[in-house]
Amino acid sequence: MEKIRLAAARCIKGRLQPPCRACEDVCPAGAFRWGVPHPDLCIECGLCTAVCPAAAVETRLDYAAKLTAVVAADASSVRLACAKSAPDSMLPCLGFLTRGILWAIASQKEVQLDIGSCRACLPAVHAHLAREAAAVDVVLAAAGRAPLRLLDAEPAAREYSRRDFFRRFRDVAKEKFGQGDAAGGAGESAAAGAHDVGPADRMACGAVAGERAGAASAEADRELPPDAAGMGQDSMHPALTAFSAPAWAFAHGAQPAAVHADLALYSGCNACGFCVRLCPHGALAAEIEGEDFVLAFTPQLCTACGLCTARCPKSALRLAASPTAKRWRIPLPRCESCGAPFRPIGASKVCRACMEK
């Protein structure tokens, strides 16, 4: 089964100038080349899911479920560690963590972030997590809360005695050569004895083997789920899923803070709502109240991808600082033909009813 896949419908690479190359720039294994994923090179560190502004990278690891299970534990503190640092951890690698996720957890519980093993294992993941933790610490300090407990000590190298070395050498030699020789000898004996078996005996053995294989296949089909029995092997693998870090953080109580992006609305907005349709995470929402167009902004869901600011037909949106939830009320423009308020399509000045006359 492939490890990663790029959802072309969500990827915003072709809608920005210059094109977005966040996944390609951050991948330490070179699994993305010219925007095309190469699953055979993927090491499943999760960095691409952390930096993708549109959650377009799909992986076979369900980061949302694993992280929720770790955080849901009834404790005053949470330790975030990879399986290499803590063998009982459900998180294979911490590269998928973002400052938004860390802020959502740290605003409710004490967080221990263990990145000691990352320095030697994946320096790119170590640098990413150290940078995200530093940004969160600034916000925590401003809020009067304790900083993250960053466990950045390299694990001590295990020392092997001379006896341990040769014992391990003996075990590996047995695995590599001992079983192979035994299997080879058994195979030669079986091959030698096969010459003494007559045609009738071979037919009987074949019939018995066929019956056993059929019984084993039927038993396996009974044990499979109803939708997997009788289907190909690929249908038994779990589907690839995309992980939206902003959506997870927002669902777990993240409040607007300096770790999030901000948006400012300038004069010129004509209430077309194009920005709402473009936003990959739903940070912008719109509704009609009377004769007004109300545009709402949720900074926790914004990834600062710049798609709304780059594609706004009136250039009325700009990324800003000091993120806060906002609701802008824009009077709907009036049709130049009939005078009724309407939501324009792009820069149109005539309502749809008048256009269809």
Side-chain angles (χ1 to χ4, degrees):
M1 178 187 177
E2 57 183 351
K3 298 178 182 178
I4 54 172
R5 181 173 58 206
L6 195 62
R10 291 194 300 271
C11 181
I12 63 174
K13 176 186 65 174
R15 290 183 278 177
L16 288 175
Q17 290 297 331
C20 176
R21 297 177 56 182
C23 56
E24 185 174 347
D25 292 339
V26 78
C27 182
F32 291 89
R33 297 175 183 174
W34 300 101
V36 178
H38 294 264
D40 55 321
L41 299 177
C42 178
I43 56 177
E44 298 185 309
C45 65
L47 281 176
C48 55
T49 64
V51 301
C52 180
V57 180
E58 298 178 344
T59 69
R60 63 179 180 177
L61 300 176
D62 192 349
Y63 290 116
K66 293 179 182 295
L67 186 59
T68 300
V70 172
V71 176
D74 189 12
S76 58
S77 63
V78 175
R79 184 189 179 192
L80 300 176
C82 66
K84 182 172 291 188
S85 297
D88 58 341
S89 175
M90 291 185 290
L91 305 176
C93 186
L94 303 182
F96 72 98
L97 296 176
T98 65
R99 60 188 64 184
I101 292 176
L102 294 176
W103 163 247
I105 303 174
S107 59
Q108 303 173 34
K109 297 182 177 183
E110 180 184 352
V111 176
Q112 300 179 20
L113 184 60
D114 191 346
I115 62 174
S117 298
C118 302
R119 189 187 298 273
C121 180
L122 283 173
V125 173
H126 180 273
H128 165 74
L129 293 175
R131 184 170 55 251
E132 300 298 284
V136 174
D137 281 343
V138 173
V139 180
L140 290 173
R145 301 181 64 90
L148 301 177
R149 288 189 58 190
L150 195 63
L151 307 179
D152 197 9
E154 295 187 30
R158 183 178 176 183
E159 296 183 359
Y160 290 91
S161 65
R162 184 182 181 89
R163 177 174 296 179
D164 291 337
F165 171 79
F166 283 105
R167 184 176 296 165
R168 179 58 181 161
F169 182 82
R170 180 197 62 192
D171 294 340
V172 172
K174 282 185 177 180
E175 293 175 3
K176 293 289 185 180
F177 305 106
Q179 294 180 359
D181 292 343
E188 292 175 0
S189 300
H195 295 290
D196 299 332
V197 179
D201 294 331
R202 283 197 292 270
M203 292 179 62
C205 291
V208 172
E211 292 177 0
R212 290 179 178 176
S217 178
E219 184 66 24
D221 286 343
R222 283 196 295 270
E223 294 179 356
L224 288 175
D227 58 342
M231 299 178 65
Q233 185 177 3
D234 291 341
S235 64
M236 299 170 59
H237 290 294
L240 300 184
T241 57
F243 174 64
S244 173
W248 188 95
F250 182 67
H252 287 78
Q255 298 299 317
V259 295
H260 304 122
D262 191 23
L263 203 62
L265 181 68
Y266 292 84
S267 60
C269 176
N270 64 348
C272 68
F274 191 42
C275 55
V276 177
R277 296 192 292 270
L278 286 175
C279 186
H281 291 284
L284 288 169
E287 59 182 350
I288 302 296
E289 293 183 0
E291 295 187 359
D292 291 336
F293 173 80
V294 179
L295 183 64
F297 173 65
T298 306
Q300 300 95 307
L301 296 175
C302 180
T303 58
C305 66
L307 199 57
C308 59
T309 61
R311 304 296 295 273
C312 177
K314 294 294 184 178
S315 300
L317 289 170
R318 293 286 187 277
L319 291 173
S322 303
T324 56
K326 297 181 176 69
R327 281 174 62 87
W328 295 291
R329 186 176 293 272
I330 303 104
L332 289 171
R334 293 186 175 273
C335 175
E336 292 185 350
S337 178
C338 65
F342 76 106
R343 284 187 62 181
I345 301 175
S348 62
K349 298 182 179 181
V350 181
C351 67
R352 183 183 295 272
C354 293
M355 292 174 63
E356 294 176 351
K357 287 181 180 179

